[in-house]
Amino acid sequence: MTQRLVFITGASSGIGQALALHYYRAGWRLALQARRVEVVQAWAQEQQLDPSRWAVYGADVVDAAAFQRAAQDCIARQGLPDTVIASAGVSIGVDTALAEDLPVFKQVLDTNVYGTAVSFQPFIEPMRQRGSGRLVGVASVAAIRGLAGHGAYCASKAGVVSYCEALRIECRGSGVQVVTLVPGYVDTPLTRVNSYAMPFLMPADAFAAKAFRAIEAGVSYRVIPWQMGVVAKLMRLLPNALFDKLLSGRGRKPRAEG
């Protein structure tokens, strides 16, 4: 087992799947988590992945007990990962004036914030004992400022940024690095339902390539693409009154159906 191992959550689609393919082509072994195991298996077969270099573990990141079992299975079968990427996430529009949207709000926070902690927890102490490892949280530029109709998603991604920052300090000096990735707009099933303009929209494979380089460089925080980092900083500097006026007519994320 000389090839390095990456554990990626949310590997059945989107950013997680794009990262998995990039890591595989870079020579890594893959440990993939997904709720839809059969989707990952079909994708791996379609990509003609070497069966000796990948495995999939069925679990939900909001089910800590099930995920811990999957993590222990991974360690037993493939070894302790060198890198863990928490990329599982959901993005659903909410209107918290509506009682029926409150469970959706909880679902988004549970998956995106709690799910990130669940994804890291089984690996932190073993990595500390080994003295090396990388934990990668996937946030979003939506963490920078709140957007109408995106309250749950923006809050969840702001939570990921803060959580990863806290974890980075907790792991300081242990050999375990914590990396926060902050994607702009990436062409995935989560963004294809958006009805509004998405500046600097990136193909998922292009994002994966840039993310891989950032993770391997051991950066603590990286906005991808860099242009969205500039936009995000400018948005943060805008006075509230001007920000509210500029964003008031922007399209909203579709709410959950039914």
Side-chain angles (χ1 to χ4, degrees):
M1 293 189 185
T2 56
Q3 293 173 316
R4 289 185 290 176
L5 175 66
V6 61
F7 188 105
I8 302 174
T9 71
S12 60
S13 66
I15 284 175
Q17 192 174 90
L19 285 167
L21 187 58
H22 191 91
Y23 270 87
Y24 181 86
R25 288 174 174 171
W28 289 56
R29 293 179 298 124
L30 306 179
L32 308 176
Q33 173 277 335
R35 290 180 296 114
R36 300 174 296 169
V37 169
E38 68 284 353
V39 173
V40 175
Q41 291 170 331
W43 168 79
Q45 185 174 11
E46 178 185 335
Q47 296 295 327
Q48 298 183 324
L49 303 190
D50 180 351
S52 69
R53 289 181 52 199
W54 71 276
V56 60
Y57 302 92
D60 192 323
V61 295
V62 301
D63 185 339
F67 191 91
Q68 287 162 0
R69 289 192 295 271
Q72 292 305 314
D73 189 17
C74 168
I75 293 171
R77 291 172 57 188
Q78 295 180 279
L80 178 63
D82 299 277
T83 296
V84 174
I85 304 176
S87 63
V90 294
S91 177
I92 309 171
V94 296
D95 182 348
T96 47
L98 303 173
E100 61 265 32
D101 277 15
L102 292 179
V104 179
F105 198 107
K106 183 178 185 300
Q107 176 192 354
V108 174
L109 265 68
D110 283 351
T111 302
N112 295 357
V113 186
Y114 178 65
T116 299
V118 168
S119 300
F120 291 160
Q121 184 277 320
F123 303 106
I124 295 172
E125 191 54 36
M127 284 183 170
R128 282 175 173 161
Q129 292 176 6
R130 184 179 61 189
S132 67
R134 287 197 177 106
L135 303 169
V136 183
V138 180
S140 167
V141 292
I144 307 299
R145 298 212 68 158
L147 301 170
H150 295 63
Y153 187 70
C154 292
S156 72
K157 292 304 184 178
V160 171
V161 171
S162 294
Y163 165 62
C164 287
E165 186 167 62
L167 184 61
R168 187 177 73 240
I169 298 169
E170 293 168 9
C171 291
R172 187 171 184 268
S174 69
V176 179
Q177 297 178 317
V178 179
V179 177
T180 307
L181 294 180
V182 184
Y185 292 110
V186 181
D187 184 14
T188 69
L190 289 183
T191 59
R192 288 173 197 150
V193 299
N194 295 342
S195 60
Y196 46 81
M198 294 180 284
F200 311 114
L201 179 68
M202 296 183 71
D205 59 346
F207 169 82
K210 292 180 182 294
F212 177 82
R213 290 194 293 270
I215 295 166
E216 284 300 283
V219 301
S220 60
Y221 181 95
R222 177 64 56 83
V223 179
I224 303 172
W226 66 266
Q227 294 93 333
M228 281 304 296
V230 174
V231 171
K233 288 181 179 179
L234 292 175
M235 289 176 64
R236 184 70 269 173
L237 292 173
L238 286 177
N240 286 346
L242 180 57
F243 175 80
D244 295 353
K245 183 177 181 180
L246 289 174
L247 274 294
S248 62
R250 188 173 185 270
R252 297 191 177 198
K253 190 83 175 180
R255 294 172 55 246
E257 296 182 1

